[in-house]
Amino acid sequence: MEKKNGPNNDISNGTKNGTSKETSNANKPVFLEVSQLDKSYGSGAARVKVLDGVTTSLAAGQICVILGPSGSGKSTFLNAIGGLESIDGGRIIIDGQEISRLDPASLGRYRRDKLGFVFQFYNLIPNLTVKENIEVGQYLSQKPLEIDALLHTLGLWEHRDKFPNQLSGGQQQRCAIGRALIKNPALLLCDELTGALDYQTSKEILALVETINQTYHNTIIIVTHNEPIKQMAHRVLKLHDGRIVTDEVNDHPIAASELQW
Amino acid sequence: MKNPLRKRFKRDLLSNRGRYLAIFAMLTVTIAIMSGFLAVADGAQTVLDQNRADAKVEDGSFTTARALSREARAAVEKRGVTIYQNNYRELPLSDDTTLRIYPERTDFNLVTVISGSSPTADEIALDRLFAASYGLAIGDTVTVDGVPLTITGTISLPDYSSLFKNNADLMMDSFHFGVGVVTPAAFAGWPATEIINGYGYRFDNRDLSITAQRQLATEIKDQLIASGVLLTGFVSAENNQSIAFIDDDMGSDVPMMKVLLSLIILIMAFVFAIVISSTIEAEAAIIGTLLASGYTKAELLRHYLTMPVAVTLASAVLGNLIGYLVMPDFFKVMYDSSYSLPPMTIRVNREALLLTTVVPLVLMVVINFVTLTRKLGLTPLQFLRKELHQNRHRRAVKLPRISFFSRFRLRVILQNKASYLTLFVGIFLASFILMFGLAITPMISHYVDSIKTAAVSDYQYLLKAPAEPQNPGSAEKMTVAGLETWYPPAGKNIEVAFWGLREDSRYFPELSLAADETGVYLSDGLAKKLGAKAGAQLDFVNPYTNREDTVTVLGIVDYPGGLTVFLSQAQLNALLDREADYFNGYFSDQELTFVDKNVVATVITPAEMAKFGDQMLSSFTQLAPLCLFAAVVIYLVLMVVLTKLVIDKNALYISYLKVFGYETAEISKLYLRATTTVVLGSLILSLPLVKLGIQGSFYLVQMKLSGYLPVYLPLYLYPLIVAIGMASYLGINFLQLRRINQIPLAAALKNRE
């Protein structure tokens, strides 16, 4: 693993970027802890190791961007954290709970209680309106966010009674984020959330993620191919061949609106 | 908070209204027919049982050559039965119609007046069904010995719920045979020579088991024979078709209807399972997202199970309402045109309710639960990646080197094999129903025609005692007897006519029956019914003497006239313990006259033999349109739902083809012609199975018939069924073509992964 600016002994914050400004996350508690994570696909000669001893941690309330080329293991890593992918070895501890040993039903409860997922493709339910799609997430939570306020935050208040096919791609992704966020999850996992969007819309969505992080203080992990996005993150991990090759701390992330690519 | 996913139901119903309406209509019609039919069958059974108890129906009856002596009566009654006088008279109303008249009975077989009133002097009351079939009404008259009797009422008699003139008749016949009652005084005034000595008996112990009743009936007959009574007829109520046929009929109709309708519900459950499978495939990514968000599989299972349960429940409610409020009138007509029963009351029947609500729901839930459990057994990630098949590495079926279009169509068929398989099963079932409905009339007509053309003589005379005609002409003497043989499928004895023929019979020139011949020939119907071949040995019993004999089958004769055994007259006379020159009938090509016309028991003409066909045709009149309706509904519903599913599933690819430059005609060649091929193939391939099914069903039908009705499926029915099926499909094809036209070029490609 390539380490920038010294050893990665403070695993909750990674290492400081040489050009970074003062971090605001230095004293936050560890929220996510991963150690020696292994995962392989296939068997025999065709066996491919997609995660190879991945070890890292993340403080609560941070935005973490995971970068890497196709096949580097970044989505597998995200899915393992989300309890969607079983692992061959290692440990995943989220908010003090080890999830790597949970049975499927307990994993379901974990996802229900703590996680929000956003995917590249919005996967909205076509015959539910925007508001109803968000209610699908609300139903899962004991203490959901206030839906009208969230609709305003998402910029979807005017569109709340529209069906997904009446929305643009960006609006649909906002709706998908709203569905994940309404539960007020401690951890928001975003897999290529701007992958299907144009430049301007992507920036709007990323700004929304930034706003959400500042408003609700969720820990957010974004998996992306798009390197410039790392500038808005507090933490940046780069994966290659299943290993973390770079683990950076960004104490002075820039606003999403200032991102350029 | 209620699950927001429930908000999808109403919109899903609206956007797929054609599909759900078709399934709902099919289930509702099926449930309505089943609940209506079962309610009426239950009403008929209830009124039948009640009437048998209230009207004190006989436990058996017999006729004798001479009046029963006091000693013989006492000897029989000592065994725990009461014997009642049950004399009657048969009055020919026309050449081929007989009215059997009884004095009104006061201790048993009591009359139920349906309309009008019981007769007084110079009046008569007629069986309701016969009066209606023969066109007689209250106020009309029936002339007996020159005296007009006014019809004062229509009635039903518990010993004639089915109007069989003779117990060995193939079918009841309300068009040519009826019963009526007059006052005992009027009956007593008729000449004794016209009266037949009849008796009925009832067991003193009304709680005897069936086995004990059978045993006691045998004892009564044995006692009568032992007392020297010359029986001319003896039949227990259980074996009397006039009393028991309705039980046999309902006993097979009701389960057959239950099985048929349950099959339709089963098919609809599979249709729903296919619809759900297709929905899950289409919504795989959404399901993956929901599971990733924390929804449980149980929640999703409940969600997807709700629609089939709701549609089935709604169908059950509406179906039962229609079943109880509308259908009874329809089914009552079927019973009223076949049976003579007191008016029935339709009540909610617990078994029917169970079969039309709980059973459809259970079938729907179980089949869809299993389907959903299998479909939802994947991981959230597999749903998100749309890896919906457990075996990802299965190889594509290798297709022969045929044209691209043919291979494409084969791929479409393979892709939708579950839909097409269900379509095939549904088409088979619908074609079976259609064939049954369309074949019954030509089958009866063909049988009637074959009886007429195969009649050996223009007249057959059955005599009460040997007598010479005044104009013998071509008349040929014969001996006729009714013996019984065991019929295992029905678990009872059936009556078989034994015809003793002269060695050189001009009416059966193909039969070589030497006087010392010890074997017999069977009519082909009897051979098929008993499954007997040449060389077989059959046991027969003479019901009036209890003598048992075993005969060897020499061959099979093509004779459709009934269940008949042909043997030499000498051999039959020996079996009957008669003199060698005994005879009791004539074959003749001309009408015979006898000095004493009362010596003639029956005259059978080809028309007489075939007249049961009128009753059968009348009983089945409503069957053909009902079957046609049911079959077309099944064709349409299955074709609409399943073919639309194929198009919906491929909407994206159809859109791609449009983008590539394919024209609608070419796309329809790929997708619609695949479906057309399957529909046409299913219609044609199901025909041999339909034929087998009909033959199997008629094996069951034969069990309740006293004769043998050969299965005859005219050739024209096969193309007709295919034509009706394809005509149903053409409309669907047009709709699907329109649907293909409506698939947009760009919209289907928008926002796709």
Side-chain angles (χ1 to χ4, degrees):
Chain A
M1 178 175 74
E2 179 192 346
K3 293 178 181 174
K4 293 198 174 175
N5 299 324
N8 183 20
N9 51 6
D10 177 4
I11 58 168
S12 64
N13 293 306
T15 56
K16 290 185 179 180
N17 186 317
T19 57
S20 63
K21 296 171 188 173
E22 191 182 344
T23 179
S24 58
N25 296 309
N27 300 318
K28 289 192 174 177
V30 173
F31 177 76
L32 178 152
E33 194 177 343
V34 174
S35 59
Q36 295 301 319
L37 207 57
D38 288 335
K39 173 73 183 175
S40 299
Y41 290 127
S43 59
R47 191 173 177 86
V48 178
K49 201 153 196 179
V50 284
L51 292 178
D52 187 3
V54 173
T55 301
T56 189
S57 64
L58 196 63
Q62 285 191 327
I63 295 178
C64 172
V65 166
I66 302 177
L67 293 164
S70 293
S72 60
K74 56 187 188 302
S75 285
T76 304
F77 180 52
L78 190 82
N79 291 334
I81 292 170
L84 298 180
E85 190 90 74
S86 62
I87 54 171
D88 300 337
R91 286 173 10 134
I92 303 169
I93 298 171
I94 310 279
D95 204 13
Q97 180 186 17
E98 180 169 356
I99 66 152
S100 36
R101 304 278 179 269
L102 293 180
D103 58 47
S106 305
L107 277 174
R109 276 195 297 278
Y110 153 70
R111 288 196 296 267
R112 192 178 186 113
D113 296 340
K114 293 193 173 156
L115 287 195
F117 259 110
V118 184
F119 300 99
Q120 177 180 0
F121 302 104
Y122 331 117
N123 301 339
L124 298 174
I125 298 174
N127 53 358
L128 291 183
T129 63
V130 165
K131 189 174 180 182
E132 289 161 354
N133 263 290
I134 294 174
E135 283 173 349
V136 169
Q138 186 183 18
Y139 170 75
L140 296 170
S141 176
Q142 299 295 325
K143 285 185 262 179
L145 300 178
E146 212 280 301
I147 191 164
D148 288 350
L150 182 63
L151 279 165
H152 282 293
T153 307
L154 294 166
L156 290 173
W157 177 250
E158 305 298 323
H159 306 291
R160 64 188 181 282
D161 294 326
K162 288 182 181 170
F163 288 103
N165 65 359
Q166 297 170 298
L167 303 176
S168 68
Q171 288 165 337
Q172 289 188 57
Q173 190 61 298
R174 282 166 185 271
C175 183
I177 293 171
R179 178 179 60 191
L181 205 64
I182 186 79
K183 296 197 299 182
N184 197 12
L187 181 59
L188 185 63
L189 302 176
C190 307
D191 193 359
E192 301 284 6
L193 88 163
T194 58
L197 302 175
D198 60 57
Y199 171 70
Q200 197 54 44
T201 312
S202 294
K203 281 178 63 171
E204 286 171 18
I205 290 295
L206 291 168
L208 176 65
V209 170
E210 187 179 58
T211 307
I212 285 163
N213 177 251
Q214 286 162 5
T215 310
Y216 302 113
H217 310 293
N218 327 78
T219 305
I220 299 173
I221 300 177
I222 302 170
V223 162
T224 181
H225 278 95
N226 195 350
E227 186 126 356
I229 294 176
K230 72 178 184 183
Q231 296 171 77
M232 66 174 280
H234 303 109
R235 187 77 180 279
V236 180
L237 300 178
K238 274 191 184 174
L239 265 74
H240 196 275
D241 288 341
R243 292 166 177 270
I244 294 177
V245 291
T246 307
D247 185 348
E248 296 175 359
V249 172
N250 183 2
D251 285 335
H252 299 286
I254 65 170
S257 57
E258 292 172 27
L259 294 175
Q260 285 193 328
W261 63 83
Chain B
M1 179 183 184
K2 286 184 178 169
N3 192 332
L5 293 175
R6 75 194 158 80
K7 292 178 181 168
R8 302 182 73 198
F9 297 135
K10 197 172 146 191
R11 291 171 194 150
D12 187 25
L13 271 177
L14 280 174
S15 59
N16 291 302
R17 55 190 172 279
R19 170 197 295 169
Y20 290 124
L21 201 64
I23 296 175
F24 173 73
M26 186 74 233
L27 284 172
T28 304
V29 168
T30 306
I31 288 170
I33 290 175
M34 186 162 1
S35 88
F37 178 81
L38 293 178
V40 171
D42 180 56
Q45 189 66 59
T46 305
V47 75
L48 187 68
D49 294 342
Q50 192 62 45
N51 183 245
R52 282 174 180 168
D54 294 346
K56 297 181 179 173
V57 68
E58 67 190 30
D59 290 318
S61 61
F62 54 92
T63 51
T64 57
R66 290 185 295 275
L68 199 61
S69 69
R70 192 179 298 165
E71 293 75 20
R73 178 191 284 256
V76 173
E77 289 192 331
K78 259 201 322 202
R79 293 182 176 270
V81 293
T82 303
I83 293 178
Y84 303 95
Q85 192 75 45
N86 196 28
N87 290 353
Y88 61 89
R89 175 182 184 176
E90 290 195 344
L91 181 75
L93 285 187
S94 62
D95 282 350
D96 60 356
T97 305
T98 304
L99 178 62
R100 188 173 289 171
I101 306 172
Y102 289 88
E104 193 167 354
R105 295 159 292 188
T106 51
D107 299 318
F108 78 122
N109 289 344
L110 305 179
V111 162
T112 302
V113 177
I114 293 173
S115 63
S117 58
S118 292
T120 55
D122 295 337
E123 287 179 343
I124 188 169
L126 294 183
D127 175 85
R128 175 202 55 85
L129 181 56
F130 170 71
S133 303
Y134 195 70
L136 290 171
I138 293 173
D140 292 347
T141 55
V142 173
T143 304
V144 181
D145 300 334
V147 178
L149 301 178
T150 305
I151 299 169
T152 182
T154 59
I155 56 169
S156 79
L157 295 174
D159 49 337
Y160 284 98
S161 55
S162 308
L163 291 170
F164 280 87
K165 184 181 177 192
N166 301 303
N167 201 37
D169 286 349
L170 179 67
M171 195 68 191
M172 62 246 186
D173 187 1
S174 65
F175 286 85
H176 305 95
F177 174 70
V179 288
V181 295
V182 294
T183 60
F187 190 86
W190 291 341
T193 50
E194 299 286 343
I195 306 301
I196 290 138
N197 290 316
Y199 300 89
Y201 64 81
R202 276 171 59 83
F203 305 129
D204 294 340
N205 179 356
R206 303 308 303 158
D207 299 319
L208 289 178
S209 67
I210 293 290
T211 315
Q213 288 181 30
R214 286 175 184 160
Q215 176 62 32
L216 191 46
T218 308
E219 287 175 17
I220 292 167
K221 195 174 75 178
D222 291 348
Q223 182 60 57
L224 286 167
I225 295 166
S227 302
V229 175
L230 193 55
L231 287 173
T232 53
F234 185 97
V235 64
S236 64
E238 186 192 4
N239 291 326
N240 185 349
Q241 292 211 84
S242 293
I243 295 173
F245 182 82
I246 186 169
D247 297 291
D248 290 346
D249 196 26
M250 287 201 292
S252 59
D253 282 357
V254 171
M256 197 164 161
M257 195 69 141
K258 283 179 191 170
V259 168
L260 200 62
L261 296 175
S262 299
L263 271 177
I264 295 175
I265 291 171
L266 195 67
I267 287 176
M268 296 319 290
F270 275 111
V271 168
F272 239 127
I274 288 170
V275 168
I276 286 178
S277 296
S278 178
T279 307
I280 285 178
E281 282 174 25
E283 296 188 345
I286 294 172
I287 292 168
T289 305
L290 293 176
L291 289 172
S293 304
Y295 273 82
T296 62
K297 284 181 181 170
E299 282 170 327
L300 294 182
L301 196 141
R302 276 199 298 276
H303 173 66
Y304 285 106
L305 205 52
T306 301
M307 195 62 96
V309 168
V311 171
T312 310
L313 206 57
S315 302
V317 171
L318 185 64
N320 269 296
L321 281 174
I322 297 171
Y324 279 97
L325 298 176
V326 182
M327 298 308 290
D329 288 341
F330 180 82
F331 287 116
K332 268 184 183 174
V333 171
M334 286 181 77
Y335 274 97
D336 286 347
S337 64
S338 301
Y339 301 108
S340 196
L341 296 171
M344 69 176 86
T345 313
I346 301 300
R347 287 174 306 183
V348 175
N349 171 264
R350 211 164 35 176
E351 192 203 0
L353 206 59
L354 193 79
L355 279 168
T356 53
T357 52
V358 178
V359 170
L361 272 174
V362 167
L363 282 176
M364 198 58 80
V365 168
V366 168
I367 287 169
N368 285 286
F369 180 84
V370 171
T371 306
L372 277 167
T373 307
R374 276 186 58 233
K375 280 277 170 188
L376 293 175
L378 304 173
T379 64
L381 215 51
Q382 283 174 307
F383 279 111
L384 285 165
R385 291 171 180 162
K386 300 188 177 174
E387 295 168 357
L388 299 179
H389 295 285
Q390 302 284 0
N391 182 7
R392 289 178 56 201
H393 303 293
R394 64 180 178 177
R395 286 191 177 170
V397 176
K398 199 169 180 184
L399 298 179
R401 292 187 177 204
I402 45 178
S403 74
F404 163 70
F405 273 73
S406 300
R407 266 184 291 132
F408 196 110
R409 280 194 287 269
L410 274 176
R411 291 282 174 216
V412 172
I413 292 170
L414 288 170
Q415 176 206 29
N416 297 286
K417 52 185 181 291
S419 295
Y420 287 139
L421 190 67
T422 308
L423 188 61
F424 174 80
V425 175
I427 283 176
F428 161 69
L429 191 70
S431 298
F432 173 82
I433 293 170
L434 190 56
M435 180 67 98
F436 196 88
L438 295 180
I440 198 78
T441 304
M443 200 181 297
I444 294 166
S445 301
H446 177 261
Y447 185 46
V448 167
D449 290 345
S450 67
I451 286 174
K452 284 180 182 167
T453 49
V456 292
S457 63
D458 292 339
Y459 296 90
Q460 288 169 32
Y461 287 86
L462 303 186
L463 307 178
K464 293 174 186 169
E468 297 291 338
Q470 290 173 302
N471 55 337
S474 62
E476 182 179 300
K477 289 175 183 168
M478 62 165 168
T479 303
V480 178
L483 305 185
E484 291 180 355
T485 190
W486 182 247
Y487 178 49
K492 64 176 186 182
N493 275 344
I494 53 168
E495 190 174 327
V496 176
F498 271 59
W499 286 14
L501 309 175
R502 285 170 50 157
E503 184 172 352
D504 53 351
S505 171
R506 65 186 290 263
Y507 293 97
F508 287 92
E510 72 279 15
L511 282 181
S512 160
L513 293 166
D516 55 353
E517 184 81 77
T518 55
V520 303
Y521 289 84
L522 306 185
S523 66
D524 52 348
L526 178 63
K528 283 177 186 161
K529 188 154 183 147
L530 297 178
K533 291 178 180 163
Q537 295 214 312
L538 296 176
D539 296 328
F540 287 91
V541 60
N542 185 332
Y544 308 121
T545 61
N546 286 343
R547 173 177 163 162
E548 292 180 20
D549 286 287
T550 301
V551 294
T552 304
V553 179
L554 298 175
I556 313 296
V557 180
D558 182 17
Y559 177 76
L563 303 179
T564 312
V565 170
F566 304 95
L567 66 171
S568 74
Q569 195 173 11
Q571 190 189 349
L572 180 56
N573 286 345
L575 290 178
L576 298 174
D577 294 323
R578 297 283 186 181
E579 300 296 322
D581 59 350
Y582 174 80
F583 69 96
N584 62 351
Y586 284 97
F587 293 113
S588 174
D589 282 336
Q590 66 183 57
E591 197 169 354
L592 300 179
T593 52
F594 294 87
V595 177
D596 176 7
K597 64 175 183 167
N598 287 322
V599 80
V600 177
T602 314
V603 184
I604 301 171
T605 61
E608 175 86 11
M609 289 167 71
K611 67 188 182 186
F612 74 92
D614 296 340
Q615 174 71 53
M616 284 185 92
L617 290 174
S618 163
S619 294
F620 290 116
T621 300
Q622 287 180 299
L623 197 65
L626 182 69
C627 289
L628 180 65
F629 173 74
V632 170
V633 167
I634 298 173
Y635 282 145
L636 285 176
V637 167
L638 291 180
M639 287 170 186
V640 162
V641 175
L642 297 173
T643 62
K644 183 174 183 295
L645 216 55
V646 175
I647 301 295
D648 286 351
K649 200 189 249 185
N650 288 287
L652 175 67
Y653 313 113
I654 289 171
S655 178
Y656 280 138
L657 289 175
K658 286 185 178 180
V659 172
F660 297 157
Y662 278 74
E663 291 172 0
T664 304
E666 289 166 322
I667 295 172
S668 74
K669 256 190 196 177
L670 294 172
Y671 284 96
L672 284 187
R673 201 169 287 178
T675 299
T676 309
T677 308
V678 171
V679 169
L680 186 62
S682 299
L683 281 165
I684 293 170
L685 289 176
S686 65
L687 289 176
L689 297 176
V690 165
K691 187 181 174 188
L692 280 176
I694 295 280
Q695 284 170 336
S697 311
F698 268 78
Y699 177 76
L700 300 176
V701 171
Q702 306 293 1
M703 280 166 46
K704 66 181 181 188
L705 293 180
S706 296
Y708 184 84
L709 180 65
V711 176
Y712 169 71
L713 304 174
L715 276 180
Y716 73 85
L717 285 181
Y718 295 98
L720 182 63
I721 285 172
V722 174
I724 292 172
M726 285 311 287
S728 308
Y729 173 67
L730 276 182
I732 311 291
N733 190 60
F734 174 74
L735 287 178
Q736 304 306 7
L737 194 62
R738 214 176 59 168
R739 167 97 181 99
I740 287 177
N741 267 324
Q742 284 169 347
I743 293 174
L745 258 181
L749 298 173
K750 206 171 114 182
N751 299 327
R752 295 282 177 179
E753 293 165 51

